[in-house]
Amino acid sequence: MAEPTKANSDIEAAPDEFHAALERARQAFARIDGVISVGFGRKRVGDELTDRIAIMVFVREKKPESALAPADRIPKSFEGYATDVRVVGRGHAEGCDNETAYSSIQGGIQIEIDQGESTTGQGTLGCIVRKRASSARENVYLLTNKHVLFSEHKGVGNTVYHPKKSDTALGPVQWGFYENALYPQEGNNQRPFFIDAAIARINLDTECCCCTCTKDSTTVAEAQVVDLDIGGANTLRDVRSVIDDVNILNERVFKVGRTTSKTKGIVTAVGAPLVADPPPDTPHGANVNATNLIEIRFDTTSTPNGQNCKGNPNFTEQGDSGSLIVDEQQRAIGLHTHGHVNPQDHIKYSYACHILPVLDYLQICIPCVVVPTLIPSHGNSLATDGSGVALRALPAAESTLAPQISFTRASVPATPHAPPFTPLAVTDEQVQHMRALLARFRETPLGPELHEVFGHVRGEIGYLVRNVRPVKVVWARNEGPAFLALVLKHVMGQTRSLPHAVKGVTRRRFLVRMRAALNAHGSILVRESLARYGDGIIEALAHEDCNSIEDCIESLQEKEPA
């Protein structure tokens, strides 16, 4: 077998060539039975990790060369780059036992939920996050693992507490992911990335005597992780993708968890797979073959005795699930999910989900401090590419008439970091027709208000319909897809009237039931919008005299602004 000829310096000098070879290695080794995935990381020699960057081939089990056909043997090098064969580990989700209470809600603190059947579960609040394209005061959420917030008996709507159930109620669970999800890369290439993440709303206001008090009852420290202390600061400066970044190997990273507090680790591999626990809401189901994770080991030089505060040489322990992984420049790179002790070297490795798939699939961003010399990255709340809290300025050719659908006369690629959808092609005449309808709508007393509010909530409503099971069920059982398709045809000018019913479901029944579902699972902004405009919109759209969009606009013409 050929010996490696390319060193780390060659990879640093030509990273594009390395990643092209890495992609060819994925394709070449995928045909070999037992190969799970291919990534990159630090090469192991015996029981020691070296600093050499290698193409990592993760397999179900290692076999002696004599037991393998020549075509099934992994060569010592691939196109001149060193290779290393690693066995996929069996990971275990981690719980929590720190009960410290903090006056300000921030990253790194303990949270607890009621798991049902008189049991509770604890975990770590990774960081404060916000939903995208909303600057509302109430747009405040916490980010952690789904396996922390969900259980067999509890999930969406369940209350999160800090530090324990007997203490402060923070707010309800919104939604989460625990699965491999396709994530777009450069050149429309998509790879599956494991996401174990969920968010819960933090209620800033308190209820007293059936009324909402105007003064905040909960204090939140945005852009902050308690005791992070990087360069003397506990703040987050930016978001960083390390999906294809070989520079992250051997870098020091940090996390603050509820069991081991702040620890320093070393990234040893990117693109690592792991056999993860079954989904938390189906604990008796099958294990999940998690893929494309960040692998981290404890930096034994970071403490005088080479151990964490629990007396173990581990980057994480039970209690650190949900911790945010941060690099030396205070940039978020991942969300800790599982731990695994490697039987070969008896070292415990920690695994983290890449941060961008987490943020993009949950449609959230991380509040970061303002750095005058820094252009905020994708996923930073200060970003202006649509991934922050600011509204993205849409090109004139794009319409805002329908949620989650892009109207265009030519193919418009999805944002590189957003879940893909198929654009709906329309003619110039149809675009002009829809723009005329929008202009007439905005001439009504409520038109400008409703149009602006819709721009703030449409992304969340689309997400709820696609990903939150109770809302998905209401949408499907009440013919939501059919209603949407027929309405779109009508506003495009393809049909003359709006349907009053689809398969026995009336327009009023559909609207009333969808409002109830969105009110139960939506954010404060969605619920307040429904409370303010819901009755009027339902009456205008569901009235028997509303046979067309023109009729509905005429009905709105008679209504005064709230």
Side-chain angles (χ1 to χ4, degrees):
M1 295 185 183
E3 293 292 332
T5 58
K6 296 183 179 180
N8 289 6
S9 57
D10 297 303
I11 296 174
E12 294 168 1
D16 291 344
E17 293 182 10
F18 174 72
H19 286 297
L22 183 62
E23 187 59 36
R24 289 190 290 272
R26 289 192 178 102
Q27 298 173 12
F29 297 145
R31 63 175 178 76
I32 299 177
D33 184 43
V35 172
I36 304 301
S37 68
V38 176
F40 60 90
R42 297 171 60 190
K43 183 174 178 59
R44 186 194 307 276
V45 176
D47 291 342
E48 296 296 325
L49 281 174
T50 69
D51 289 337
R52 182 161 197 174
I53 299 172
I55 294 176
M56 313 292 292
V57 183
F58 294 92
V59 299
R60 189 172 293 110
E61 62 175 322
K62 275 191 175 182
K63 298 179 181 179
E65 285 195 1
S66 58
L68 296 169
D72 291 339
R73 298 171 185 172
I74 304 299
K76 292 183 179 179
S77 70
F78 182 87
E79 298 185 8
Y81 299 102
T83 62
D84 194 10
V85 179
R86 294 274 299 277
V87 177
V88 177
R90 170 69 171 91
H92 298 282
E94 300 182 325
C96 184
D97 61 6
N98 189 321
E99 300 178 1
T100 304
Y102 293 87
S103 58
S104 292
I105 306 305
Q106 59 195 291
I109 67 175
Q110 174 174 297
I111 50 178
E112 182 172 277
I113 64 166
D114 178 1
Q115 293 183 323
E117 297 188 343
S118 301
T119 63
T120 58
Q122 300 82 31
T124 298
L125 190 163
C127 65
I128 302 298
V129 295
R130 288 182 175 270
K131 289 186 179 179
R132 295 176 177 177
S134 174
S135 57
R137 182 182 68 89
E138 302 87 354
N139 180 19
V140 183
Y141 298 80
L142 64 87
L143 172 66
T144 187
N145 294 142
K146 181 174 180 178
H147 81 252
V148 171
L149 296 187
F150 284 69
S151 68
E152 181 179 9
H153 307 286
K154 298 282 188 174
V156 173
N158 196 19
T159 300
V160 180
Y161 300 88
H162 167 68
K164 302 187 71 175
K165 186 180 176 183
S166 56
D167 299 306
T168 303
L170 298 182
V173 174
Q174 298 292 291
W175 58 69
F177 280 89
Y178 190 93
E179 58 189 276
N180 291 312
L182 288 177
Y183 190 67
Q185 302 296 294
E186 295 295 332
N188 294 323
N189 179 37
Q190 296 187 25
R191 301 205 307 269
F193 287 78
F194 182 62
I195 300 175
D196 176 11
I199 61 172
R201 186 176 70 240
I202 297 179
N203 293 332
L204 299 180
D205 300 322
T206 185
E207 297 290 331
C208 46
C209 301
C210 301
C211 299
T212 300
C213 297
T214 57
K215 185 178 181 180
D216 290 356
S217 61
T218 303
T219 302
V220 174
E222 286 191 340
Q224 186 162 309
V225 176
V226 67
D227 299 328
L228 183 61
D229 191 22
I230 299 177
N234 293 337
T235 51
L236 300 172
R237 291 166 56 93
D238 202 9
V239 176
R240 173 188 178 188
S241 172
V242 298
I243 289 174
D244 289 315
D245 188 354
V246 296
N247 294 320
I248 192 62
L249 296 178
N250 301 322
E251 279 193 25
R252 268 56 179 176
V253 295
F254 308 88
K255 75 97 189 70
V256 178
R258 298 320 311 128
T259 299
T260 56
S261 189
K262 177 187 175 182
T263 53
K264 181 187 291 188
I266 302 172
V267 176
T268 54
V270 175
L274 191 74
V275 179
D277 293 328
D281 38 3
T282 55
H284 304 296
N287 293 328
V288 176
N289 293 318
T291 189
N292 274 320
L293 295 165
I294 305 170
E295 181 186 82
I296 306 167
R297 65 174 291 182
F298 183 63
D299 180 4
T300 55
T301 68
S302 62
T303 60
N305 62 357
Q307 299 175 342
N308 62 28
C309 61
K310 292 290 184 178
N312 301 313
N314 302 332
F315 182 61
T316 59
E317 301 269 4
Q318 282 200 335
D320 295 329
S321 287
S323 302
L324 191 71
I325 310 299
V326 183
D327 71 6
E328 292 183 295
Q329 284 73 49
Q330 299 161 254
R331 296 173 294 185
I333 69 166
L335 192 69
H336 172 56
T337 173
H338 284 68
H340 161 66
V341 178
N342 189 299
Q344 183 176 350
D345 55 16
H346 307 293
I347 292 174
K348 180 177 181 180
Y349 292 87
S350 301
Y351 295 85
C353 307
H354 284 278
I355 195 63
L356 286 195
V358 167
L359 299 181
D360 283 343
Y361 268 84
L362 290 173
Q363 286 292 286
I364 54 176
C365 54
I366 297 178
C368 298
V369 295
V370 176
V371 182
T373 58
L374 178 71
I375 298 176
S377 300
H378 184 87
N380 184 328
S381 65
L382 304 172
T384 57
D385 63 353
S387 65
V389 296
L391 291 173
R392 180 172 67 91
L394 295 175
E398 292 188 36
S399 168
T400 57
L401 287 177
Q404 306 308 314
I405 295 180
S406 172
F407 291 93
T408 175
R409 281 164 287 192
S411 177
V412 176
T415 303
H417 302 290
F421 59 86
T422 303
L424 180 62
V426 295
T427 65
D428 289 345
E429 183 180 357
Q430 290 169 339
V431 169
Q432 293 172 4
H433 178 73
M434 289 186 289
R435 292 193 182 283
L437 289 175
L438 178 60
R440 287 187 58 192
F441 171 70
R442 288 186 60 85
E443 290 173 356
T444 67
L446 282 172
E449 279 187 41
L450 289 173
H451 191 210
E452 181 179 359
V453 169
F454 180 67
H456 285 294
V457 303
R458 65 174 185 163
E460 178 183 346
I461 291 174
Y463 184 92
L464 292 170
V465 166
R466 294 192 307 272
N467 298 288
V468 177
R469 180 171 175 76
V471 182
K472 289 170 64 177
V473 169
V474 173
W475 173 258
R477 290 181 178 176
N478 290 277
E479 302 300 331
F483 270 114
L484 178 61
L486 293 170
V487 169
L488 290 177
K489 286 185 177 181
H490 178 65
V491 298
M492 290 166 63
Q494 296 179 352
T495 60
R496 298 183 62 182
S497 62
L498 288 169
H500 280 281
V502 175
K503 295 182 180 179
V505 179
T506 66
R507 200 190 305 167
R508 182 179 296 275
R509 171 181 155 181
F510 166 70
L511 292 170
V512 169
R513 294 192 175 182
M514 280 303 300
R515 176 175 65 173
L518 295 172
N519 193 60
H521 302 287
S523 66
I524 292 177
L525 180 60
V526 168
R527 289 184 286 119
E528 287 184 348
S529 300
L530 290 172
R532 186 171 186 178
Y533 304 107
D535 289 341
I537 291 176
I538 290 176
E539 188 57 35
L541 297 181
H543 196 277
E544 60 182 10
D545 293 333
C546 181
N547 298 310
S548 67
I549 194 68
E550 288 86 352
D551 293 338
C552 297
I553 291 175
E554 185 175 338
S555 177
L556 287 173
Q557 186 68 49
E558 303 171 359
K559 297 185 179 298
E560 294 295 327

